[in-house]
């Protein structure tokens, strides 16, 4: 678990909440990059979903465009 | 009667253009649902030119908006002691569009609802109306980007309303 005390939480709620938004966005970007890499290494959606801790349907619904894009780039 | 129908048709056309452009900006920004910041960028592209004119009226370069939005994420992370460099900003491949009904994020929905509520109070929908609506928002990426650009939201709103009235 990350030590939250190591992070400086701004007193200004606007600053603190903006950091939350930015972290979510960063996590989304990392997720897309990791899924793209996993697909490139031949991982199935079932494996990816299990690793992400979500259902296969949920992972596919949210991230399937990564596979479509990768396939377009290969062809 | 005919002019009212025509005005409504024009508004629908403007909203369609606005939403499509906002969605394109959102996808470019790695987000599925456009937020207020994407609607603001989209307003600058509307052919009536009033959104762009609003920024110029208060001596702010509208071209500075997009990079200011991109910087917000890195700045927000830096404020909590995380330095992730350019990873937090734009510069990644855009998301692909999906054949699903248009859906805006919460801040985007707020703008659409506000524009709809004020529709009868003004003439044809203009980019300046969109700017005035977004200038009223105190929080979120759009508000933070405007503040970072040194924009006084009150002045921006007043300029937008003045330009919209005169158009």
């Amino acid at each position: 678990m990350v030590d939250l005390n190591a992070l400086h939480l701004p007193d200004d709620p606007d600053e603190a909440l903006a950091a939350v938004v930015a972290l979510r966005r960063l996590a989304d970007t990392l997720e897309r990059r990791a899924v793209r890499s996993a697909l490139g290494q031949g991982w199935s959606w079932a494996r990816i979903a299990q690793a992400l801790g979500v259902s296969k349907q949920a992972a596919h619904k949210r991230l399937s465009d990564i596979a479509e894009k990768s396939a377009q780039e290969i062809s | 009667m005919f002019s009212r129908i025509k005005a409504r048709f024009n508004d629908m056309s403007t909203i369609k253009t606005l939403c499509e452009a906002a969605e394109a900006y959102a996808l470019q920004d790695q987000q599925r649902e456009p937020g207020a910041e994407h609607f603001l960028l989209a307003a600058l592209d509307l052919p009536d030119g009033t959104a762009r004119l609003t920024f110029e009226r208060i001596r702010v370069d509208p071209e500075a908006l997009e990079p200011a939005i991109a910087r917000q994420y890195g700045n927000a992370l830096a404020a909590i002691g995380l330095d992730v460099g350019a990873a937090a900003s734009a510069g990644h491949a855009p998301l692909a569009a999906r054949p699903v009904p248009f859906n805006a994020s919460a801040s985007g929905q707020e703008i659409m609802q506000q524009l709809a509520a004020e529709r009868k109070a003004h003439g044809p929908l203009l980019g300046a109306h969109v700017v005035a609506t977004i200038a009223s928002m105190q929080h979120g990426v759009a508000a933070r980007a405007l503040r970072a650009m040194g924009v006084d939201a009150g002045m921006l709103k007043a300029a937008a309303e003045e330009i919209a009235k005169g158009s």
Side-chain angles (χ1 to χ4, degrees):
Chain A
M1 193 69 184
V2 175
D3 179 10
L4 288 178
N5 292 321
L7 296 177
H8 165 69
L9 189 66
D11 293 332
D12 178 357
D14 193 58
E15 287 289 325
L17 294 169
V20 174
V21 172
L23 280 169
R24 283 193 186 130
R25 179 188 159 99
L26 184 62
D28 287 346
T29 305
L30 283 175
E31 182 182 57
R32 292 183 66 79
R33 200 174 285 182
V35 169
R36 190 185 175 90
S37 171
L39 288 168
Q41 292 177 52
W43 278 45
S44 67
W45 279 107
R47 271 183 89 185
I48 290 170
Q50 194 176 60
L52 286 172
V54 298
S55 71
K56 186 182 162 189
Q57 290 78 10
H60 196 261
K61 187 179 175 191
R62 195 154 48 85
L63 301 158
S64 61
D65 64 302
I66 299 173
E68 289 160 16
K69 211 166 181 179
S70 299
Q72 280 171 8
E73 283 168 7
I74 291 166
S75 61
Chain B
M1 178 71 180
F2 178 70
S3 62
R4 280 176 62 187
I5 293 169
K6 192 178 165 195
R8 187 145 191 203
F9 183 77
N10 285 341
D11 276 3
M12 297 280 282
S13 171
T14 304
I15 288 167
K16 183 173 180 287
T17 305
L18 182 71
C19 290
E20 285 175 352
E23 188 173 35
Y25 275 115
L27 293 171
Q28 187 73 37
D29 196 21
Q30 298 266 306
Q31 293 178 54
R32 288 256 161 245
E33 298 175 345
E37 64 275 22
H38 306 118
F39 277 94
L40 190 54
L41 289 168
L44 292 175
D45 291 346
L46 284 177
D48 64 67
T50 56
R52 201 163 275 276
L53 185 62
T54 302
F55 277 82
E56 288 164 356
R57 178 72 59 88
I58 61 163
R59 299 181 189 283
V60 172
D61 179 9
E63 297 300 327
L65 179 64
E66 197 165 3
I69 289 168
R71 281 195 298 272
Q72 288 318 296
Y73 303 102
N75 292 348
L77 292 177
I80 60 166
L82 282 181
D83 181 10
V84 293
S89 303
H92 305 285
L95 300 185
R98 283 175 174 169
V100 294
F102 177 82
N103 199 16
S105 71
S107 66
Q109 286 176 28
E110 194 179 328
I111 292 158
M112 297 308 289
Q113 285 163 5
Q114 190 75 24
L115 288 172
E118 293 173 357
R119 188 174 56 82
K120 285 181 182 169
H122 56 67
L125 178 66
L126 300 168
H129 293 122
V130 181
V131 175
T133 301
I134 296 171
S136 305
M137 300 175 87
Q138 286 181 286
H139 305 293
V141 176
R144 288 173 58 81
L146 289 171
R147 277 200 293 275
M149 290 167 71
V151 172
D152 180 317
M155 276 178 66
L156 183 68
K157 186 171 191 288
E161 287 172 348
E162 191 184 313
I163 287 168
K165 263 184 199 165
S167 296

